[in-house]
Amino acid sequence: MFRRTFWFTAGAAAGVWATTKVNRKLKQLTPESLAAQAANKAIEAGHRLKDFALDVREGMAEREAELDEALGLNTTAGPEALPAPRRFAALENRTSPKYADRTTYSYNRNEDH
């Protein structure tokens, strides 16, 4: 008698558990629930992407500072520490014999082709 009662109770409990589990899964598969899950995943992915972009930006700033230090390009030196522009040096070179017959500087783009 107790054996039958035990198995009847165990079967009823298993049936209630299975029914509850199936109903939860069906509620998860409704269109509204799927849309909410997709929205949550998209928001989560957006946060991860934002964190990644911030990490990349921080790494870029660190690397740029390292390169500036390695190359001696500290901004505290001022503009007088920069080398002279190359264009002016090239224009000053016009006094060579090659350019003696020219009085003005002209550049024709088609000469390079």
Side-chain angles (χ1 to χ4, degrees):
M1 173 90 160
F2 286 112
R3 184 183 264 170
R4 286 185 185 175
T5 306
F6 170 76
W7 287 114
F8 176 77
T9 307
V16 168
W17 177 79
T19 304
T20 305
K21 191 92 166 163
V22 168
N23 283 335
R24 283 185 190 162
K25 189 55 87 173
L26 286 175
K27 285 183 183 179
Q28 285 180 353
L29 296 176
T30 61
E32 295 85 13
S33 178
L34 291 175
Q37 288 176 10
N40 289 339
K41 296 278 185 183
I43 290 171
E44 186 178 312
H47 288 304
R48 278 190 260 133
L49 187 62
K50 178 184 170 190
D51 291 341
F52 174 73
L54 290 174
D55 288 343
V56 167
R57 185 175 291 167
E58 182 181 328
M60 284 178 12
E62 288 176 10
R63 182 64 178 152
E64 185 175 356
E66 289 174 5
L67 290 174
D68 284 348
E69 185 178 329
L71 295 174
L73 298 176
N74 296 334
T75 57
T76 59
E80 60 275 352
L82 295 176
R86 295 181 68 184
R87 180 172 182 262
F88 295 130
L91 290 177
E92 290 171 3
N93 226 0
R94 288 190 342 198
T95 59
S96 67
K98 181 178 177 182
Y99 296 107
D101 59 335
R102 295 187 187 178
T103 57
T104 60
Y105 177 76
S106 67
Y107 176 72
N108 186 355
R109 290 180 44 201
N110 295 325
E111 290 178 0
D112 291 339
H113 300 285

